[in-house]
Amino acid sequence: GNSVTQMEGPVTLSEEAFLTINCTYTATGYPSLFWYVQYPGEGLQLLLKATKADDKGSNKGFEATYRKETTSFHLEKGSVQVSDSAVYFCALSDLQGGSEKLVFGKGTKLTVNP
Amino acid sequence: KAGVTQTPRYLIKTRGQQVTLSCSPISGHRSVSWYQQTPGQGLQFLFEYFSETQRNKGNFPGRFSGRQFSNSRSEMNVSTLELGDSALYLCASSPMTGLNTEAFFGQGTRLTVV
């Protein structure tokens, strides 16, 4: 079945450092890809998405490009802030019989120190 | 616009009991999905409802059930609780289903089984 693999971390960075969180997927067809973020005690918030190959999703300085050839959707940010500390989840959409579900990676905890 | 509301936020139950969790989707959203989040298994899909019909179901035992009402509000029920059912249960709503639309998540219900 469809699956997502992401680096589990935890990742600890200093403020203004460069961030990369790797995500690769296995899927039949061409699913949409997502990055969600979860702050402590909260639910998930959509950070960005890409719906087809070579699409680049971006939001709040974060970017990820849908790479069909490498089946990857790595998350990057040029300069992280303390407020970016959270858990990040890579996910794909799995369409079955007209119903869509999200398949998530295990999550990567990011801590940014001042 | 109000977000996805889940009640209660926290719940403590005893093994063998049953529990009902509630989710009110964003107004106008007709699709509601439920996910279980645990440290060991991560985020796993439970089921999806659209217009009061269960469209998709994850790999969970029959003790896990749900329903959706005509106003799109949804409930999930877990009977004969086990210690392993302790988790954060997240509800997500979408305007439609099967169209790669964004899922909006609630803050979750933290269930602890003792």
Side-chain angles (χ1 to χ4, degrees):
Chain A
N2 295 346
S3 65
V4 174
T5 302
Q6 65 177 104
M7 57 185 284
E8 294 192 20
V11 175
T12 302
L13 296 172
S14 298
E15 207 164 22
E16 299 184 2
F18 183 85
L19 168 71
T20 299
I21 301 177
N22 290 336
C23 171
T24 57
Y25 67 90
T26 301
T28 53
Y30 302 103
S32 290
L33 300 174
F34 306 85
W35 277 99
Y36 280 85
V37 58
Q38 185 175 36
Y39 298 101
E42 301 291 322
L44 301 176
Q45 298 176 26
L46 178 66
L47 182 59
L48 53 84
K49 70 177 182 181
T51 58
K52 61 183 187 297
D54 300 325
D55 263 4
K56 177 186 281 189
S58 61
N59 186 26
K60 298 180 182 179
F62 291 90
E63 292 183 341
T65 301
Y66 191 141
R67 301 285 188 200
K68 187 178 68 172
E69 62 278 7
T70 54
T71 61
S72 65
F73 193 55
H74 304 322
L75 181 68
E76 295 182 337
K77 186 175 185 183
S79 177
V80 294
Q81 305 300 312
V82 173
S83 57
D84 294 327
S85 297
V87 181
Y88 293 80
F89 293 91
C90 184
L92 61 79
S93 63
D94 186 343
L95 275 169
Q96 293 180 4
S99 171
E100 180 183 33
K101 70 176 184 182
L102 292 168
V103 176
F104 289 91
K106 293 287 191 182
T108 302
K109 183 176 182 179
L110 170 66
T111 301
V112 180
N113 295 318
Chain B
K1 202 175 203 182
V4 178
T5 303
Q6 292 188 245
T7 56
R9 287 291 309 277
Y10 302 93
L11 208 48
I12 300 175
K13 289 287 188 179
T14 303
R15 208 168 23 167
Q17 288 186 312
Q18 76 163 14
V19 67
T20 299
L21 313 181
S22 179
C23 172
S24 293
I26 292 172
S27 178
H29 286 193
R30 296 169 64 190
S31 172
V32 174
S33 299
W34 290 87
Y35 293 83
Q36 182 196 62
Q37 184 177 20
T38 59
Q41 299 299 317
L43 281 153
Q44 294 186 288
F45 172 77
L46 280 156
F47 23 65
E48 188 247 350
Y49 287 87
F50 181 78
S51 293
E52 302 179 66
T53 301
Q54 187 182 90
R55 295 290 298 271
N56 201 355
K57 190 178 192 309
N59 189 25
F60 279 82
R63 300 184 297 105
F64 291 80
S65 63
R67 59 178 176 169
Q68 186 181 35
F69 302 94
S70 58
N71 62 357
S72 293
R73 190 177 71 85
S74 178
E75 290 181 346
M76 66 163 283
N77 184 277
V78 188
S79 62
T80 320
L81 284 165
E82 301 177 359
L83 296 179
D85 297 333
S86 295
L88 180 66
Y89 290 88
L90 293 166
C91 167
S93 78
S94 302
M96 298 288 286
T97 184
L99 296 176
N100 292 325
T101 56
E102 178 179 348
F104 294 83
F105 283 81
Q107 292 183 298
T109 294
R110 172 78 61 185
L111 172 65
T112 302
V113 182
V114 298

